């Protein structure tokens, strides 16, 4: 890693420079919120965004994606093309950079997903630091910072950016498109001060101690019944989650039925048919079992494979859930929860 | 087209909007017609219903004795019945008539002395009278979904209708939540599958696809209350397409 | 770290785990009113030569325009060049498959998952217990043991069906009841006039078998409700938890641990299973 300083008013040069070579996607305003969208110019870019409605995952695994075209007559694959234009995701918060790393474990690890891989390889990530909002709890998982998974990372020091450069390509682009200078000891100091203020601005971190163990020990806790009663089973939490990767696959026939396309769509374990098999058995019919599974998988199932929790504390599900179900409260409830036996004994 | 399944498109009480939607299948309409033997299409034909057909596509709500009789005949004739549009699937807007006193409704429109045709009923979904094999909900139907369901019906597959509410689909479009902005949106209880067209275009969901089979109505009631919508307001909104709550699920 | 390498992504065409390989249906046998046995041969010679599975693994059957369904392989790994799938008409894909004819072409992905530890089982007695369609994955193991029969001790097969007409591979298994090298017992919940054999749940058969607990492997597959009771019987016979193997049915959609549908406890049935030993399965929430 090496570092550079860029004056804030020079940043549009970088955006314009990148736009000549790449599709540049960044946070832009939408109503009272922000979304990632292709920038028409540097002026669209809103690096002061708090969060985006959808996480960056949509640029690597779109909500609906054609994975192949087929011919029905002889059950043949016609083609498996992937649309992966050279792209820069400009302005990704540390939580979301972490989110992509967690997606990478699934899609780039054993038997890689070629669609995700193609887009991941064709996308540069420009990270940017942030300020915690009232729904953020990234400090619980250490995902309030990131040390890899980006090409360039911008830390806002007021008049200028402290720029961490991770990749050769990132370095090349900085050199080519924007005036920058070497960092000084003073710059590093200022960077540390900003970091310290950022860390201090979080409330007490969530108590996540022994979560995997508690999920098993309190698997039958009435906490889950209560959550099941509240859950709308709408799946909004999964859609807005930067780490929910589950998908369904459907065939869509052309009007003449001679061919069609196999499409992949985002799915949610909150949906009733998610764990149902063809001849009637449904392994998670009840709402409570579905809500529980979401937490069980995020805090333990994924962790058992990749040694990390499948949550980056971005707070999107907290904002999306109209029923008010959110990880900090669920986890706190679980810490304090009684098992069914304990409840019965009272 | 000797082997092509024969199809009849039949209309009960409706504004023919869903049949018009079928004409909007562009550019696929002619290709679909290549798959089937279209024996009858009420919108485009002044002829009579054929004696035999394999698939009946029915639009509209049931409002008369005649309709009931027709449906019974259709069910005996067709091996597959497809209900299309809110009117046929949930009773839709016509079923609103059932929420007020029928006599007063006629008097208000036609005057106190008007005689009412005998055999009129409060409009209901066709599944109130016959078994329906496939549904294509919505007001109007979505042409892509109609093609998909018709295709599934022709191939003998399951209906493939989503059971969950709309929110997930709405989220994938990066929409702001109407409920969070203070608007009443029926998306949290309405069947998904429309690709959230209305909410993406800037209008809250009005529930035209019927209640989602997996909607958590008790939880939704509390959510509406928490967001400042009293129960009457929700009921009024829901009644637009969903007066018959049971059939809507 | 990340290379921008232009638009070319050949792996989408070449090493794409979602891309089905075409296979021809070379034989269809009606087993019951609702189940058929399909023999499939991959059309591409290279794929056919490369294909090798272990007993307990599954493939995704792919019929374009309908979808995909996970089906366990019933034939033995020792049979090269073709696979057999025992398929119940249950959903859209299996329904479409049942409607197909010999010579028709479908798609196959796989094999996927972890099967039974065949090599590890060698030298031991094996007690196989199947209920209903659960015989399908066990059939592969049974066939494999059959082909290397000398490598195993006593082999006992207990197979329960609801009615005699629902017994899969009935003729073969009825013949096997007379073999010396397999101890084969069939039972049905409800007998009919053709039935002279055992009546009652498969667990009832445990009274009549002798098990050497120090040297026996158990293998179980059946409807979800069955596992608890059969495992209890095996445990009563003092078979160690880590020598009892169970095969779970879940909604394996992608087969490669990505789509999330087959979660069982903290694992995925498609990559961590579908075969687990009971010690592992005990630690999987909601598995049994």
């Amino acid at each position: 890693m090496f570092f550079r300083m860029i004056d804030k008013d020079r940043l549009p040069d970088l955006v314009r420079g990148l736009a000549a070579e790449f599709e540049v996607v960044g946070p832009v305003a939408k109503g009272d919120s922000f979304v990632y969208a292709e920038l028409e110019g540097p002026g669209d870019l809103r690096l002061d965004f708090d969060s985006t409605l959808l996480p960056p995952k949509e640029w690597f695994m779109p909500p609906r994606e054609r994975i192949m075209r087929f011919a029905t007559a002889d059950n043949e694959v016609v083609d498996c093309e992937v649309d992966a234009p050279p792209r820069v995701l400009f302005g990704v918060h540390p939580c979301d950079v972490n989110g992509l790393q967690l997606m990478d474990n699934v899609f780039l690890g054993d038997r890689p997903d070629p669609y995700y891989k193609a887009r991941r390889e064709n996308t540069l990530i420009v990270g940017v630091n942030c300020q915690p909002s009232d729904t953020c709890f990234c400090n619980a998982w250490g995902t309030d910072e990131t040390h890899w998974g980006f090409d360039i990372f911008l830390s806002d020091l007021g008049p200028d950016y402290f720029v961490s450069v991770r990749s050769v390509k990132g370095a090349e682009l900085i050199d080519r498109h924007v005036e920058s200078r070497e960092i000084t000891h003073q710059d590093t100091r200022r960077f540390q001060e900003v970091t310290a203020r950022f860390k201090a601005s979080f409330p007490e971190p969530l108590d996540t101690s022994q979560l995997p163990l508690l999920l098993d020990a309190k698997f039958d806790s009435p906490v889950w019944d209560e959550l099941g009663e509240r859950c709308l089973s709408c799946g909004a939490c999964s859609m807005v989650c930067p780490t929910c990767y589950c998908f369904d696959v459907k065939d869509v026939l052309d009007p003449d039925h001679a061919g069609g396309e196999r499409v992949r769509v985002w799915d949610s374990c909150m949906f009733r048919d998610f764990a149902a098999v063809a001849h009637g058995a449904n392994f998670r019919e009840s709402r409570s079992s579905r809500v529980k599974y979401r937490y069980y998988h995020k805090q333990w199932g994924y962790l058992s494979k990749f040694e990390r929790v499948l949550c980056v504390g971005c707070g999107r599900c907290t904002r999306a859930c109209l029923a008010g179900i959110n990880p900090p409260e669920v986890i706190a409830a679980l810490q304090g929860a009684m098992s069914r036996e304990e409840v019965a004994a009272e | 087209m000797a082997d092509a399944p024969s199809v009849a498109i039949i209309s009960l009480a409706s504004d023919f909007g869903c049949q018009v939607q079928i004409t909007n299948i562009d550019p696929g309409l002619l290709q679909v017609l290549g798959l089937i033997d279209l024996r009858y299409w009420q919108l485009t034909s002044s002829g009579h219903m054929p004696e035999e057909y394999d698939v009946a596509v029915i639009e509209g709500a049931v409002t008369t004795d005649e309709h009931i009789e027709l449906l019974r005949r259709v069910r005996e004739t067709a091996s597959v019945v497809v209900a299309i549009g809110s009117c046929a699937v949930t009773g839709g807007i016509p079923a609103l008539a059932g929420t007020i006193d029928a006599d007063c409704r006629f008097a208000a429109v036609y005057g106190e002395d008007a005689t009412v045709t005998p055999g009129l009923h409060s409009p209901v979904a066709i599944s109130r009278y016959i078994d329906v094999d496939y549904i294509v909900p919505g007001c109007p139907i979505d042409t892509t979904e109609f093609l998909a369901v018709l295709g599934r019906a022709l191939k003998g597959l399951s209906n493939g209708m989503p059971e969950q509410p709309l929110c997930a689909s709405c989220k994938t479009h990066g929409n702001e939540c109407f409920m969070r902005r203070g608007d009443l949106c029926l998306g949290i209880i309405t069947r998904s599958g429309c690709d959230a067209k209305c909410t993406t275009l800037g209008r809250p969901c009005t529930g035209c696809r019927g209640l989602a089979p997996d909607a958590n109505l008790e939880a939704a009631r509390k959510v509406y209350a928490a967001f400042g919508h009293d129960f009457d307001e929700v009921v009024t909104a829901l009644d637009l397409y969903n007066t018959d709550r049971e059939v809507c699920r | 770290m990340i290379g921008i390498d232009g638009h070319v992504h050949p792996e989408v065409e070449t090493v794409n785990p979602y891309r089905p390989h075409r296979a021809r249906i070379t034989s269809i046998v009606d087993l019951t009113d609702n189940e058929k046995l399909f023999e499939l041969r991959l059309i591409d010679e290279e794929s056919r030569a490369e294909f090798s599975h272990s007993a307990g693994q599954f493939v995704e059957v792919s019929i374009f325009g309908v979808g995909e369904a996970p089906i366990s392989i019933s034939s033995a790994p020792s049979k090269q060049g073709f696979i057999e799938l025992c398929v119940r008409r249950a959903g859209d894909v299996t329904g479409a498959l049942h409607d197909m004819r010999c010579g028709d072409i479908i798609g196959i992905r796989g094999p996927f998952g972890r099967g039974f530890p065949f090599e590890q089982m060698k030298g031991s007695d094996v007690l196989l217990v199947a209920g209903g369609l659960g015989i399908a994955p066990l059939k592969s193991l049974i066939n494999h043991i059959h082909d290397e029969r000398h490598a195993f001790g006593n082999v006992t097969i207990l197979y329960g069906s609801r009615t005699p007409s629902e017994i899969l591979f009935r003729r073969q298994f009825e013949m096997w009841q007379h073999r010396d090298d397999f101890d084969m017992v069939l039972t049905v919940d409800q007998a009919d006039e053709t039935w002279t054999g055992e009546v009652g749940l498969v667990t009832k058969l445990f009274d009549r078998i002798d098990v050497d607990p120090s040297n026996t492997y158990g293998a179980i597959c059946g409807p979800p409700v069955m596992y608890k009771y059969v495992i209890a019987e095996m445990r009563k016979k003092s078979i160690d938890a880590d020598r009892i193997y169970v095969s779970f049915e879940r909604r394996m959609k992608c087969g490669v641990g990505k789509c999330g549908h087959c979660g069982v406890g903290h694992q995925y049935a498609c990559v961590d299973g579908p075969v687990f030993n009971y010690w592992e399965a005990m630690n999987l929430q909601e598995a049994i």
Side-chain angles (χ1 to χ4, degrees), chain A residues 20 27 30 50 84 87 107 145 176 183 221 266 295 334 340:
Chain A
K30 179 173 182 176
D50 50 0
R87 184 180 280 148
F107 290 111
E145 50 184 78
R176 187 140 26 106
I183 54 164
S221 168
W266 291 357
Y295 282 88
L334 193 65
R340 210 172 287 280

Side-chain angles (χ1 to χ4, degrees), chain B residues 55-160:
Chain B
V55 180
V57 176
I58 310 177
E59 177 207 57
V62 186
T63 59
T64 64
D65 283 344
E66 251 183 337
H67 287 158
I68 297 166
E69 186 42 41
L70 172 68
L71 282 180
R72 296 220 164 103
R73 222 167 51 238
V74 166
R75 190 65 268 190
E76 278 168 22
T77 311
S79 51
V80 174
V81 171
V82 185
I84 65 165
S86 315
C87 305
V89 175
T90 68
I93 290 177
L96 261 178
T99 60
I100 53 162
D101 173 44
D103 293 337
C104 108
R105 144 174 77 113
F106 286 112
V109 177
Y110 300 107
E112 294 289 344
D113 304 329
T115 48
V116 176
T117 320
L120 267 182
H121 296 269
S122 192
V124 292
I126 63 176
S127 62
R128 279 293 176 202
Y129 289 99
I130 59 166
D131 287 339
V132 170
D133 305 303
Y134 295 87
I135 60 165
V136 185
C139 183
I141 54 164
D142 175 81
T143 53
T144 308
E145 188 174 46
F146 172 72
L147 283 186
V149 174
L150 184 67
R152 296 181 75 84
L154 296 176
K155 289 169 93 71
L157 306 179
S158 57
N159 204 147

Side-chain angles (χ1 to χ4, degrees), chain A residues 22 67-68 70-72 74-77 79-82 84-87 106-107 110-115 117-118 120-125 149-151 167 169 215-216 219 245-249 251 253 262 264 267 273-279 281 283-284 289 292-293 296-297 300-301 304-305, chain C residues 1-9 11-13 15-20 22 62-68 88-92 94 100 105-113 133 224 249-268 271-272 283-287:
Chain A
F22 302 95
I67 58 172
M68 58 194 79
F70 57 77
T72 44
D74 42 7
N75 213 67
E76 199 149 23
V77 176
D79 69 58
C80 294
E81 279 173 33
V82 56
R87 184 180 280 148
V106 176
F107 290 111
D110 193 31
R111 303 216 209 198
D113 181 293
Y115 306 92
K117 186 165 177 269
R120 195 71 168 101
E121 286 174 349
N122 257 8
T123 306
L124 297 175
I125 305 287
F150 55 85
D151 296 87
S167 70
K169 189 76 191 173
L215 282 159
D216 273 331
F219 196 79
Y245 54 77
C246 290
F247 60 81
D248 196 7
V249 175
D251 285 0
L253 282 165
R262 184 158 280 181
R264 154 155 80 184
D267 205 346
D273 65 351
F274 188 81
V277 294
H279 45 81
F283 296 97
R284 283 189 295 277
S289 68
K292 178 161 62 181
Y293 183 74
Y296 194 83
H297 179 247
W300 171 220
S304 76
K305 283 197 167 54
Chain C
M1 178 199 61
I2 294 170
I4 299 286
D5 55 0
H7 287 278
V8 185
H9 291 280
E11 64 268 29
V12 175
E13 289 287 348
V15 281
N16 185 335
Y18 310 124
R19 187 188 171 117
R22 296 201 310 150
S62 190
I63 301 175
F64 280 126
V66 181
E68 294 193 310
R88 175 179 291 173
R89 184 189 275 274
D92 288 339
T94 54
M100 291 182 119
I105 295 171
I106 62 167
I108 290 289
R109 296 193 292 120
F112 296 126
L133 189 58
E249 181 193 22
R250 287 295 185 278
R251 188 174 168 195
M252 287 90 94
K253 185 107 197 176
C254 73
V256 289
K258 312 227 181 311
C259 79
H261 284 88
C262 66
V264 46
H266 61 282
Q267 304 273 47
Y268 283 149
V271 287
D272 304 308
N283 290 299
L284 296 179
Q285 296 285 3
E286 295 177 326

Side-chain angles (χ1 to χ4, degrees), chain C residues 127-147:
Chain C
L127 169 59
L128 302 107
V129 182
L133 189 58
I135 195 69
L138 286 188
K139 188 69 174 18
S140 177
L141 182 58
I142 292 168
N143 288 345
H144 203 185
I145 291 172
H146 172 268
D147 292 349

Side-chain angles (χ1 to χ4, degrees), chain C residues 6 18-20 29 67 88 99 122 144 160 170 187 195 213 226-227 250 258:
Chain C
Y18 310 124
R19 187 188 171 117
V29 178
R88 175 179 291 173
D99 292 341
K122 280 183 178 171
H144 203 185
R170 182 174 176 180
T187 181
W195 191 247
M226 194 188 87
Y227 292 92
R250 287 295 185 278
K258 312 227 181 311

